[in-house]
């Protein structure tokens, strides 16, 4: 499951450690909130003088689970010890239908590849996690787009989450996948941005991918040019924007700042 990853928060809650997974919004609602789902908890059972690990998946009450640590990879392996608690009281067909409805917002959108992978993981009693500390940089006016967590639509893979971060000493930026896919796994760089070379293109240079590939160094102005530069914004044929009539048609940049405007409204 390494290619897919995910966003999980582990915090102290009422005297226990509570692990909550935050799933991306439904594909039909890119601006929707993250969907929290409790996964497991760890607490101290004082009456029995032992650590108590509970699985919070399923349709009944919390039930026993176990955790193992794989030190070589810093992985945590969580196992449910009572899979019968995951079974829907009305049978497996209703269980599958319910899970699909949860992932696709009552069948109002297609069931994506990543939905299927998450469903397969959920149906198993073993889940592996690799803990990575996500540090979000503080806001700063020097950043063209403020750093932080973002979400975007990745076609058949649904909505994925990524982290935008900067290294202004090198005038570089990176987009790191938080939830990935087989093309770009979680934790890998999805986009590299060279802030030293803002691009200034004509409409003809953006008409197709081949024209973009023919760009030469001379087409890219020096970064000390701080005068506003208006230029057309064109999406090559064959690419979908999911924005219908709100697709931007022009953009203007000043230094490292980029502004995209819509003239179709």
């Amino acid at each position: 499951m390494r290619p897919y990853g995910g966003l999980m928060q582990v915090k102290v809650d009422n005297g226990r450690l509570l692990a909550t997974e935050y799933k991306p919004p439904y594909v039909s609602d890119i601006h929707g909130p993250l969907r929290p789902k409790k996964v497991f908890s760890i607490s101290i059972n004082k009456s029995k003088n032992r650590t108590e690990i509970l699985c919070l998946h399923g349709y009944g009450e919390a039930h026993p689970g176990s955790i193992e640590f794989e030190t070589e990879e810093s992985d945590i392996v969580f196992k449910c010890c009572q899979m019968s608690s995951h079974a829907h009281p009305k049978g497996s067909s209703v269980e599958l239908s319910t899970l699909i409805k949860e992932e696709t917002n009552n069948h109002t959108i297609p069931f994506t590849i990543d939905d299927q992978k998450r469903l397969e993981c959920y149906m198993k009693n073993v889940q592996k996690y690799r803990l990575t500390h996500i540090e979000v940089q503080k806001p700063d006016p020097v950043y063209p787009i403020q750093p932080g967590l973002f979400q975007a639509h990745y076609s058949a893979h649904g909505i994925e989450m990524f982290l935008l971060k900067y290294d202004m000493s090198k005038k570089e930026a990176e987009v790191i996948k938080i939830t990935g896919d087989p093309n770009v796994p979680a934790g890998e760089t999805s986009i590299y941005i060279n802030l030293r070379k803002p691009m200034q293109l004509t409409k003809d240079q953006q008409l197709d991918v081949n024209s973009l590939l023919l760009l030469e160094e001379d087409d890219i102005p020096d970064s000390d040019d701080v005068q506003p530069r208006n230029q057309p914004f064109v999406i090559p044929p064959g690419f979908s924007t999911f924005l219908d009539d709100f697709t931007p048609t022009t953009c203007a940049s000043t230094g490292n700042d980029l502004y995209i405007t819509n003239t179709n409204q």
Side-chain angles (χ1 to χ4, degrees):
M1 292 300 293
R2 179 184 175 276
Y4 293 91
L7 184 64
M8 176 178 287
Q9 180 190 49
V10 179
K11 67 176 183 178
V12 177
D13 179 77
N14 293 325
R16 61 175 180 170
L17 284 178
L18 177 64
T20 303
E21 179 184 4
Y22 285 86
K23 297 183 177 182
Y26 298 114
V27 177
S28 60
D29 187 12
I30 183 66
H31 299 293
L34 299 179
R35 298 176 291 142
K37 192 175 185 67
K38 296 178 181 179
V39 181
F40 63 84
S41 67
I42 304 175
S43 60
I44 302 296
N45 189 322
K46 295 182 179 180
S47 62
K48 297 182 180 180
N49 193 27
R50 68 180 185 186
T51 302
E52 187 172 62
I53 301 171
L54 297 177
C55 175
L56 305 180
H57 280 308
Y59 297 94
E61 297 180 350
H63 45 280
S66 67
I67 289 180
E68 299 176 2
F69 295 89
E70 297 182 356
T71 55
E72 292 184 2
E73 298 290 343
S74 300
D75 289 348
I76 295 177
V77 179
F78 171 73
K79 296 181 180 180
C80 174
C81 300
Q82 189 175 306
M83 281 299 292
S84 59
S85 296
H86 290 222
H88 195 283
K90 294 185 178 180
S92 58
S93 60
V94 177
E95 176 183 359
L96 179 60
S97 175
T98 301
L99 289 174
I100 292 177
K101 286 182 179 180
E102 288 179 357
E103 291 299 326
T104 61
N105 197 15
N106 293 321
H107 291 295
T108 58
I109 57 173
F111 194 54
T112 69
I113 295 174
D114 287 0
D115 289 332
Q116 180 179 347
K117 292 298 182 181
R118 284 192 290 266
L119 179 60
E120 291 174 355
C121 180
Y122 179 86
M123 298 293 285
K124 297 177 181 178
N125 69 329
V126 179
Q127 294 174 308
K128 180 179 289 190
Y129 303 94
R130 179 167 299 170
L131 297 184
T132 303
H133 178 67
I134 298 176
E135 183 176 353
V136 178
Q137 293 170 307
K138 295 181 179 180
D140 192 312
V142 72
Y143 298 139
I145 301 174
Q146 293 305 309
L149 290 170
F150 293 79
Q151 54 198 33
H153 198 293
Y154 281 78
S155 187
H157 295 288
I159 295 176
E160 297 183 17
M161 292 181 285
F162 55 88
L163 174 69
L164 171 64
K165 64 178 184 178
Y166 291 86
D167 185 344
M168 296 309 292
S169 64
K170 299 180 180 179
K171 288 193 174 182
E172 296 175 349
E174 279 186 297
V175 172
I176 308 296
K177 282 286 194 73
I178 301 300
T179 53
D181 53 55
N183 299 319
V184 181
E188 300 293 331
T189 299
S190 180
I191 302 173
Y192 165 77
I193 305 167
N194 184 347
L195 297 173
R196 297 184 300 275
K197 297 181 180 295
M199 302 183 72
Q200 185 174 6
L201 306 177
T202 66
K203 182 177 180 179
D204 291 339
Q205 289 174 316
Q206 304 176 62
L207 290 180
D208 54 57
V209 175
N210 290 332
S211 298
L212 292 172
L213 293 175
L214 292 175
L215 291 175
E216 300 291 343
E217 189 78 12
D218 294 340
D219 297 315
I220 304 175
D222 295 332
S223 60
D224 57 359
D225 179 10
V226 296
Q227 297 300 315
R229 298 184 298 273
N230 293 314
Q231 57 180 305
F233 180 79
V234 180
I235 296 178
F239 290 83
S240 176
T241 67
F242 300 97
L243 295 177
D244 299 326
D245 294 334
F246 296 96
T247 303
T249 57
T250 62
C251 62
S253 60
T254 303
N256 286 330
D257 293 325
L258 177 65
Y259 306 91
I260 298 178
T261 58
N262 176 18
T263 59
N264 287 332
Q265 297 185 37

